[in-house]
């Protein structure tokens, strides 16, 4: 593929940016934004607590003066009778306590060129779809049309208008990827095939609803056969769909070790919302599973085999299982009568009404607000705050992304984006053993939108994302990105000495997206610091994918609360172990695109060796060294593509520097990539998930930037473990020279998830991430252009952060 200037703004040629222009609807979309959420909050915490949060207007008018006068917690009492010299704040006049002034931080994009990195708009997606239909790449599908795999359809449209098409009407069906554009000139849209016909086998395509809707047809008659078993075992539950007693989980990947096979293991679970609704509660899987043989698209030939009941099997078909059950040749299980009425209570994440409230838990907690409105501004999806500027966006498959990140006008990074999430389970439960997921296959960026009052503070601004819904054949737009300035409520720096004291409150800008991938919720966020640091933080919440807890499990040891794969976490739930590995593309452009990877080794050794690492001719220890052993540094410029892992006992500072740009002290300007992770890939190379998940092998891999190397995996690689086409280690094969060129670091962080009883019913935020920290990038600590706090004995120098008057949070 043609390589292009990645910063190019011209439409139609840039693959790394979007090819699209913006259409008129953009302004209208902005009109739809509403960002003030939730409740009217309190005033200052102290005021709220003092008055118990009653009528706010009245409280404002009757405030004791002492409370009105102390709006900032920054003043400190000092020993030695040094006054803290707090600058008197403007005292709000009686009755002045009004809603905070909140100028709108957002403006529509009005640039003469398209906003390069914004998500596709609904209109753009529709235009792509229309183009694909008009040119016979896909078939238009009416909602009333039967589900069939014998048409061509596009399950995804990703950022960059990369479109995947499942081609079910071909003699040999396959799976294609196209680049479609330019979107700003609907008359001249073209589609460029990114793979050869047939290169991606039909059987390696990701799962989607078009397929699982067909599964239903062959599962239904089998569950009619199994009805006596299901009724007896599962508290009277039976299935056909009208009753909705069961739901089925069809996604236990992979569907085979080879790309030309397709077998789908599925499990039944109870649907406590029947008959009125349905939601994912894979938490409570039943000990009844089987495999659907489902290659190709002649689904009349598909069949179900390998039934298991309480891990007993395989039975060739439902009849064989039913016969064994009736003959009493297999062990049976039965839920207690009435069990199904307890499921919602167990798993719906609502307050336990039997438990008393904790003291004061019904009082509103502290709140943050903006006394004079947001300190950031947003044009389209381009955010500016305190010297930072970047685009906050998302794509359908890979999810959250930042582009074109600048600080004080200098480039820091072209792209920091989630690229893939790999999850591998260890389980002893039929149909769940050896599960391997790559979450891009399920569309990380198919958000459901934010949860008001939970995901983000009320003073956030929300931006839209979009994705293509294959089943409905239409674009879906949600407010999924929240942007706000956080009060870290701690010090970014502080020093308190004899003659002076000072510090800077740690405010940072947050960009957050929360993705639901069936049972799990992933929260991806960035924190931009005043001193040039960027934190990338990932966390997981939601429902674990549990297994059935079988208390007669023959593979359980003497402790009957656990087995080789995890603990019992509820009456019938086993929490099986797995990991969550998040792979990010980190394309730093430190003061320009040509950068160099330098690893600084933090070492311990004898003094002569330490000195010789710089001056090889040294042959003795200078007399002023007390010991023969010392800490020292070794600097290693990385000439060729390479991969690194964290070794606690051999610390390394992974830095990206610009060899041509030096700071005032002569050091190469750079940034340090510091993982904040506790996990590493523990699977050995013998595991079939590697190399498809080769990005999980290392915490950091540096490659030359290429248009053709954008992804850590293909969305179908997990279904083609024997021959992944797009994995990280493939990028290393050419061993390219990478010094003083445009490089990308692929950073993988994550956690090992060992579910315990506290994961039932809900996993609470587990976190990992990495930090990008200036590394000789500035001449000094990059915060001394900001108003901060300083006191000196005798007041020869005092500084104060901006004063403010209290006000009420804006109305929702
Ligand atoms: C503390 O300083 C204040 C003002 O400078 C002065 O009025 C007061 O007498 C001092 N108190 C003591 C205990 O030195
Ligand atoms: C079910 O499996 C059994 C055992 O393999 C076999 O004998 C029987 O013919 C199968 N029944 C059907 C309906 O396929
Ligand atoms: C310092 O340590 C090195 C390595 O152990 C050793 O070879 C050398 O003799 C030591 N020198 C002195 C002066 O002890
Ligand atoms: C960056 O390096 C490449 C060689 O890797 C060179 O061709 C190009 O001119 C350099 N660009 C700049 C801006 O220095
Ligand atoms: Cu987990």
């Amino acid at each position: 593929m043609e390589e292009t200037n990645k910063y190019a703004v011209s439409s139609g040629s840039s693959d790394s940016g979007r090819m699209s222009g913006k259409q008129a609807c953009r302004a209208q979309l902005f009109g739809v934004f509403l960002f003030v959420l939730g409740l009217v909050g309190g005033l200052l915490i102290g005021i709220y607590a003092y008055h118990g949060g009653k009528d706010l207007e009245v409280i404002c008018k009757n405030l004791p003066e002492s409370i009105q006068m102390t709006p900032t917690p920054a003043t400190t009492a000092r020993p030695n009778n040094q006054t803290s010299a707090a600058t008197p704040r403007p005292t709000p006049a009686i009755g002045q306590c009004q809603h905070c002034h909140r100028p709108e931080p957002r403006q529509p994009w009005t640039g003469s060129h398209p906003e390069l990195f914004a998500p596709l708009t609904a209109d753009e997606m529709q235009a792509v779809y229309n183009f694909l239909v008009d040119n016979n790449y896909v078939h238009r599908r009416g909602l009333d049309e039967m589900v069939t795999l014998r048409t061509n359809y596009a399950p995804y449209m990703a950022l960059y208008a990369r479109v995947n098409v499942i081609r079910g009407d071909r003699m040999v069906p396959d799976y294609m990827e196209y680049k479609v554009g330019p979107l700003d000139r609907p008359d001249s849209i073209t589609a460029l095939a990114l793979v050869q016909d047939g290169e991606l086998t039909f059987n390696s395509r990701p799962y989607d609803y078009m397929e699982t809707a067909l599964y239903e047809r062959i599962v239904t008659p089998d569950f009619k056969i199994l009805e006596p078993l299901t009724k007896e075992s599962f508290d009277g539950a039976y299935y056909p769909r009208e009753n909705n007693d069961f739901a089925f989980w069809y996604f236990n990947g992979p569907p085979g070790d080879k790309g030309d096979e397709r077998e789908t293991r599925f499990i039944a679970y109870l649907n406590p919302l029947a008959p009125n609704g349905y939601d994912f509660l894979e938490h409570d899987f039943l000990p009844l599973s089987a495999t659907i043989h489902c290659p190709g698209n002649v689904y009349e030939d598909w069949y179900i085999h390998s039934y298991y009941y309480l891990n007993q099997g395989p039975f060739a078909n439902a009849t064989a299982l039913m016969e064994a059950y009736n003959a009493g040749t297999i062990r049976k299980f039965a839920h207690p009568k009435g069990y199904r009425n307890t499921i919602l209570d167990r798993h719906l994440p609502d307050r336990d009404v039997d438990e008393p409230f904790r003291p004061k838990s019904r009082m509103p907690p502290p709140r943050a607000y903006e006394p004079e409105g947001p300190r950031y501004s947003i044009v389209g999806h381009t955010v500016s705050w305190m010297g930072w500027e970047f685009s906050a966006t998302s794509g359908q498959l890979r999810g959250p992304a930042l582009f074109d990140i600048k600080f004080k006008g200098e480039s820091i990074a072209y792209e920091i984006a989630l690229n893939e999430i790999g999850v591998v389970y260890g389980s002893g439960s039929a149909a769940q053993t050896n599960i391997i997921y790559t979450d891009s296959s399920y569309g990380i960026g198919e958000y459901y939108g934010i949860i008001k009052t939970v995901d983000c503070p009320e003073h956030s601004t929300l931006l839209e994302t979009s994705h293509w819904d294959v089943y409905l054949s239409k674009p879906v737009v949600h407010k999924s990105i929240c942007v706000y300035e956080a009060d870290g409520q701690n010090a970014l720096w502080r020093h308190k000495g004899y003659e002076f004291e000072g510090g800077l409150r740690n405010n940072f800008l947050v960009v957050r997206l929360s993705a639901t991938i069936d049972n799990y919720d992933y929260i991806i966020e960035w924190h931009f610091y005043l001193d040039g640091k960027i934190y990338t933080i990932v966390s997981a919440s939601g429902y674990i994918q549990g297994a059935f807890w079988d208390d007669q499990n023959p593979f359980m040891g003497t402790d009957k609360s656990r087995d080789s794969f995890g603990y019992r976490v509820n009456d019938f739930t086993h929490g099986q172990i797995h990991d969550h590995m998040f792979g990010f593309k980190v394309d730093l452009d430190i003061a320009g695109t040509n950068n160099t990877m330098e690893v600084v080794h933090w070492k311990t050794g004898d003094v002569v060796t330490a000195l010789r690492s710089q001056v090889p001719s040294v042959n003795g220890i200078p007399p002023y060294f007390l010991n023969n052993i010392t800490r020292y540094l070794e600097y290693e410029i990385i000439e060729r593509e390479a991969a690194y892992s964290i070794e606690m006992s051999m610390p390394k500072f992974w830095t990206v520097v610009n060899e041509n740009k030096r700071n005032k002290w002569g050091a190469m300007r750079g940034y340090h990539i510091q993982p904040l992770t506790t996990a590493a890939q523990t699977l050995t190379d013998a595991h079939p998930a590697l190399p498809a998940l080769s990005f999980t092998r290392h915490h950091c891999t540096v490659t030359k930037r290429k248009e053709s190397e954008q992804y850590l995996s293909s969305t179908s690689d997990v279904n083609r473990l024997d021959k992944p086409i797009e994995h990280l280690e493939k990028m290393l094969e050419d061993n390219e020279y990478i010094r003083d060129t445009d490089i990308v670091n692929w950073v993988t962080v994550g956690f090992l998830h060992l579910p315990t009883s506290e994961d039932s019913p809900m996993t609470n935020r587990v976190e990992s991430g990495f930090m990008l920290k200036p590394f000789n990038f500035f001449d000094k600590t990059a915060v001394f252009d900001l108003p901060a706090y300083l006191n000196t004995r005798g007041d020869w120098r005092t500084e104060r952060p901006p004063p403010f008057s209290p006000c009420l949070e804006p109305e929702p």
Side-chain angles (χ1 to χ4, degrees):
M1 194 193 307
E2 175 197 8
E3 248 193 83
T4 54
N5 174 358
K6 63 180 178 175
Y7 282 96
V9 158
S10 63
S11 58
S13 62
S14 169
D15 183 51
S16 50
R18 311 167 62 244
M19 307 189 312
S20 79
K22 293 291 131 182
Q23 297 170 336
C25 78
R26 170 157 295 269
Q28 290 163 22
L29 283 175
F30 273 92
V32 175
F33 285 169
L34 262 183
F35 52 84
V36 184
L37 304 172
L39 311 166
V40 178
L43 285 169
L44 291 173
I45 297 156
I47 296 171
Y48 215 3
Y50 183 81
H51 289 277
K54 298 227 179 67
D55 181 341
L56 291 167
E57 282 302 317
V58 174
I59 291 165
C60 265
K61 287 180 183 157
N62 297 320
L63 279 183
E65 196 169 319
S66 61
I67 292 177
Q68 294 188 5
M69 281 292 292
T70 52
T72 169
T75 51
T76 46
R78 296 189 47 117
N80 307 331
N81 197 23
Q82 299 162 45
T83 62
S84 63
T87 313
R89 308 264 168 238
T91 306
I94 298 299
Q96 189 190 316
C97 230
Q98 293 165 352
H99 285 116
C100 306
H101 178 54
R102 191 178 198 278
E104 168 62 62
R106 261 177 348 201
Q107 285 161 32
W109 176 266
T110 53
S112 56
H113 57 80
E115 192 187 5
L116 211 50
F117 305 109
L120 300 181
T121 64
D123 284 4
E124 285 165 348
M125 287 198 171
Q126 195 63 53
V128 170
Y129 182 65
N130 292 345
F131 165 82
L132 294 172
V133 168
D134 293 348
N135 293 279
N136 286 319
Y137 287 98
V138 304
H139 300 130
R140 192 179 295 280
R141 198 174 82 81
L143 252 190
D144 48 344
E145 262 174 65
M146 281 215 331
V147 172
T148 168
L149 287 177
R150 288 177 207 126
T151 65
N152 297 344
Y153 62 99
Y156 307 114
M157 290 188 197
L159 190 74
Y160 323 132
R162 181 152 152 160
V163 176
N164 295 9
V165 174
I166 290 171
R167 298 199 297 187
D169 84 334
R170 290 170 62 86
M171 286 292 288
V172 181
D174 64 3
Y175 178 55
M176 284 297 287
E177 293 190 344
Y178 298 98
K179 178 171 118 173
V180 181
L183 302 183
D184 57 338
R185 297 199 298 274
D187 313 339
S188 50
I189 295 184
T190 57
L192 175 67
L194 298 176
V195 291
Q196 305 288 313
D197 288 356
E199 184 179 343
L200 305 185
T201 57
F202 188 69
N203 287 340
S204 69
R205 74 197 184 281
Y207 285 116
D208 64 51
Y209 189 79
M210 298 284 274
E211 180 176 16
T212 57
L214 292 168
Y215 292 162
E216 209 100 337
R217 298 185 189 178
I218 49 174
V219 168
T220 304
D222 269 18
F223 270 67
K224 188 73 196 158
I225 296 169
L226 293 169
E227 195 173 299
L229 177 152
T230 65
K231 280 184 164 166
E232 206 170 281
S233 300
F234 310 128
D235 188 27
Y238 65 100
Y239 184 87
R241 193 65 174 171
E242 304 86 73
N243 213 52
N244 263 348
D245 284 351
F246 293 118
F248 298 95
W249 179 244
Y250 294 116
F251 297 97
N252 287 326
D257 286 348
K258 297 184 178 60
D260 46 14
E261 296 170 351
R262 198 162 181 94
E263 295 245 289
T264 299
R265 300 180 293 172
F266 72 94
I267 317 178
Y269 58 105
L270 291 168
N271 175 20
L273 301 171
N276 302 316
Y278 160 79
D279 210 326
F280 295 104
L281 284 173
E282 301 90 325
H283 202 68
D284 221 2
F285 281 142
L286 300 173
L288 177 58
S289 65
T291 301
I292 305 174
H293 183 70
C294 52
N297 60 355
V298 185
Y299 37 81
E300 292 82 351
D301 293 347
W302 293 357
Y303 60 90
I304 305 181
H305 65 92
S306 300
Y307 269 96
Y308 282 89
Y309 174 82
L310 279 178
N311 272 5
Q312 301 165 106
F315 294 98
N317 50 48
T319 311
L321 166 58
M322 201 59 235
E323 277 169 6
Y325 184 88
N326 287 336
T329 56
I330 56 173
R331 188 161 61 86
K332 295 185 181 180
F333 162 82
H335 277 126
K337 202 166 165 41
Y339 173 74
R340 285 198 291 143
N341 294 331
T342 70
I343 301 175
L344 258 193
D345 192 41
R346 286 160 193 273
H347 300 314
L348 189 74
D350 58 348
R351 206 188 92 80
D352 297 330
V353 289
D354 301 341
E355 291 205 56
F357 283 98
R358 296 187 207 176
K360 302 194 185 183
S361 64
R362 279 175 290 177
M363 271 172 61
R367 309 179 62 86
Y369 70 101
E370 298 162 323
E372 294 175 27
R375 301 205 297 172
Y376 55 85
S377 53
I378 303 176
V379 177
H381 279 68
T382 306
V383 182
S384 310
W385 174 77
M386 295 290 136
W388 287 104
E389 189 178 299
F390 57 87
S391 292
T393 187
S394 183
Q396 179 159 359
L397 295 177
R398 311 276 166 179
L402 302 179
F403 281 95
D404 203 6
I405 300 160
K406 297 197 180 84
F407 187 62
K408 295 189 180 180
E410 285 193 289
S411 75
I412 305 292
Y414 174 75
E415 178 179 0
I416 304 174
L418 182 60
N419 202 279
E420 186 59 281
I421 306 174
V423 182
V424 179
Y425 283 76
S427 167
S429 194
Q432 295 216 69
T433 55
N434 310 102
I435 288 173
I436 303 164
Y437 292 136
T438 52
D439 283 334
S440 74
S441 310
Y442 301 89
I444 299 166
E446 294 179 15
Y447 308 104
Y448 298 3
I450 73 143
I451 309 171
K452 284 186 185 185
T453 79
V454 174
D455 279 326
C456 308
E458 282 72 3
H459 65 275
S460 305
T461 299
L462 305 183
L463 303 179
E464 288 180 344
T465 60
S466 57
H467 67 265
W468 184 256
D469 185 310
V470 58
Y471 193 65
L472 303 176
S473 277
K474 65 171 201 187
V476 178
V477 174
H478 279 302
K479 292 179 181 124
S480 318
I481 307 176
C482 78
V483 178
Y484 67 95
E485 179 174 347
D487 178 359
Q489 300 184 322
N490 56 14
L492 179 60
W493 70 266
R494 60 95 67 194
H495 180 72
K496 188 174 176 78
Y498 294 117
E499 293 295 330
F500 59 87
E501 61 173 7
L504 178 65
R505 185 83 159 242
N506 181 22
N507 287 97
F508 50 92
L509 190 81
V510 178
V511 175
R512 178 175 300 139
L513 296 96
S514 302
T516 302
I517 300 169
D518 297 325
N519 53 319
Y520 263 115
D521 298 73
Y522 290 121
I523 306 160
I524 291 91
E525 61 191 84
W526 284 279
H527 297 179
F528 290 86
Y529 274 51
L530 292 166
D531 61 0
K533 288 199 292 278
I534 306 172
Y535 282 83
T536 302
I537 298 167
V538 292
S539 48
S541 185
Y543 288 104
I544 55 171
Q545 178 169 340
F548 179 76
W549 175 264
D550 176 5
D551 58 13
Q552 304 300 312
N553 171 7
F555 297 110
M556 200 155 42
T558 49
D559 186 323
K560 300 299 178 194
S561 70
R562 58 197 190 190
D563 68 7
S564 307
F565 306 102
Y567 290 90
R568 179 183 197 169
V569 299
N570 207 312
D571 280 327
F572 303 106
T573 312
H574 175 288
Q576 27 191 15
I577 53 169
H578 58 277
D579 63 353
H580 299 262
M581 288 294 184
F582 301 80
F584 281 84
K585 183 177 183 189
V586 182
D587 180 357
L588 294 178
D589 280 357
I590 302 301
T593 51
N594 279 5
N595 291 163
T596 294
M597 183 82 184
E598 185 173 50
V599 177
V600 179
H601 298 267
W602 177 277
K603 304 200 67 158
T604 303
D606 64 89
V607 172
V608 170
T609 307
L611 298 177
R612 277 183 187 160
S613 72
Q614 290 293 311
V615 181
S617 59
V618 169
N619 56 16
I621 303 179
Y624 43 81
F625 278 93
L626 293 184
N627 297 314
N628 186 16
I629 193 145
T630 182
R631 288 189 196 289
Y632 68 103
L633 299 176
E634 249 175 43
Y635 308 92
E636 183 193 7
I637 296 260
I638 305 302
E639 305 262 341
R640 296 194 179 270
E641 295 180 326
Y644 310 94
S645 292
I646 300 170
E647 293 165 89
M648 287 296 194
S649 58
M650 290 169 65
K652 297 174 189 70
F653 288 66
W654 303 325
T655 73
V656 174
V657 298
N658 189 325
E659 292 193 65
N660 311 306
K661 301 275 171 63
R662 306 249 167 187
N663 71 3
K664 188 174 175 183
W665 320 112
M668 293 181 289
R669 301 180 66 192
Y671 259 70
H672 168 203
I673 302 171
Q674 187 182 329
L676 308 168
T677 185
T678 52
Q681 181 55 277
T682 56
L683 297 173
T684 58
D685 290 356
H687 193 282
L690 306 173
L693 293 184
S694 63
F695 76 94
T696 64
R697 275 190 172 132
H698 302 285
H699 292 108
C700 187
T701 303
V702 58
T703 65
K704 187 180 168 95
R705 184 185 189 283
K706 282 189 197 158
E707 295 296 332
S708 56
E709 294 180 352
Q710 294 194 39
Y711 301 114
L712 288 169
S713 63
S714 149
T715 53
S716 49
D717 275 352
V718 73
N719 304 342
R720 189 175 39 228
L721 293 172
D722 59 327
K723 278 189 222 124
I725 58 157
E726 196 167 354
H727 58 285
L728 179 58
E729 277 170 14
K730 203 166 149 188
M731 297 185 204
L732 299 179
E733 278 166 10
D734 50 7
N735 193 29
E736 274 169 302
Y737 187 76
I738 54 165
R739 188 164 176 176
D740 196 21
T741 183
D742 195 358
I743 55 175
V744 171
N745 276 280
W746 304 89
V747 178
T748 297
V749 295
F751 29 84
L752 306 181
H753 195 170
L754 195 178
T756 59
S757 45
E758 293 81 5
D759 286 275
S760 172
M762 191 54 66
T763 291
N764 283 3
R765 196 178 172 99
V766 194
E767 224 172 76
S768 186
F770 60 96
M771 177 172 64
L772 299 170
K773 186 174 187 287
F775 197 83
N776 297 312
F777 187 84
F778 304 106
D779 295 339
K780 59 184 288 192
T781 322
V783 292
F784 288 99
D785 53 344
L786 294 166
Y789 181 87
L790 184 71
N791 265 346
T792 50
R793 192 207 295 266
D795 294 344
W796 47 271
R797 190 91 173 209
T798 53
E799 291 173 14
R800 290 295 176 268
F804 68 96
S805 306
C807 56
L808 303 180
E809 282 185 79
E811 296 271 18

